[in-house]
Amino acid sequence: MKIIPCATLAIMLGIGVAAPWAAERPKGDVPPVAGKNLCLLESEDCPNRKMTIVELIEALRLELSKGEAVYTPSELRTLEGKLGEYELMYERLMFGNSE
């Protein structure tokens, strides 16, 4: 029964729409730590608009896919923990699962 949640997630993401925070920054606007999303990692440099839970999950997955080329093992564990928390919240919101 994983098809329905995936379909719901795809619809909510607006298939094919790029997230503004995932886009490359202009060359003159280099973040303090190149390649790292400090908003997701340390709640710094966050955009004015708050992300939805679905956007947060996708952004965390994107950052985790960068792996040790960008993040330290400790930072990857932090991102994985946050991803797990948001996925659990999403599951509870969508399906009322209280586990």
Side-chain angles (χ1 to χ4, degrees), residues 14-37:
I15 302 170
V17 177
W21 66 89
E24 287 188 38
R25 296 177 183 230
K27 291 184 181 184
D29 185 19
V30 178
V33 182
K36 293 184 182 183
N37 185 326

Side-chain angles (χ1 to χ4, degrees), residues 10-81:
I11 291 169
M12 291 176 73
L13 288 175
I15 302 170
V17 177
W21 66 89
E24 287 188 38
R25 296 177 183 230
K27 291 184 181 184
D29 185 19
V30 178
V33 182
K36 293 184 182 183
N37 185 326
L38 295 180
C39 180
L40 293 175
L41 188 61
E42 301 170 358
S43 298
E44 294 179 9
D45 297 331
C46 295
N48 292 332
R49 184 185 75 80
K50 298 291 181 192
M51 292 183 261
T52 67
I53 192 166
V54 174
E55 291 171 334
L56 282 166
I57 289 169
E58 286 302 308
L60 285 164
R61 287 180 181 160
L62 174 68
E63 294 306 305
L64 283 167
S65 72
K66 295 177 182 179
E68 290 187 14
V70 175
Y71 292 98
T72 66
S74 174
E75 291 170 333
L76 288 171
R77 283 190 298 277
T78 299
L79 293 172
E80 287 169 352

Side-chain angles (χ1 to χ4, degrees), residues 12 52-54 57 85-98:
M12 291 176 73
T52 67
I53 192 166
V54 174
I57 289 169
E85 290 174 18
Y86 283 115
E87 286 176 333
L88 181 61
M89 275 191 266
Y90 178 77
E91 184 79 19
R92 288 179 179 168
L93 288 169
M94 293 300 293
F95 306 106
N97 188 353
S98 62

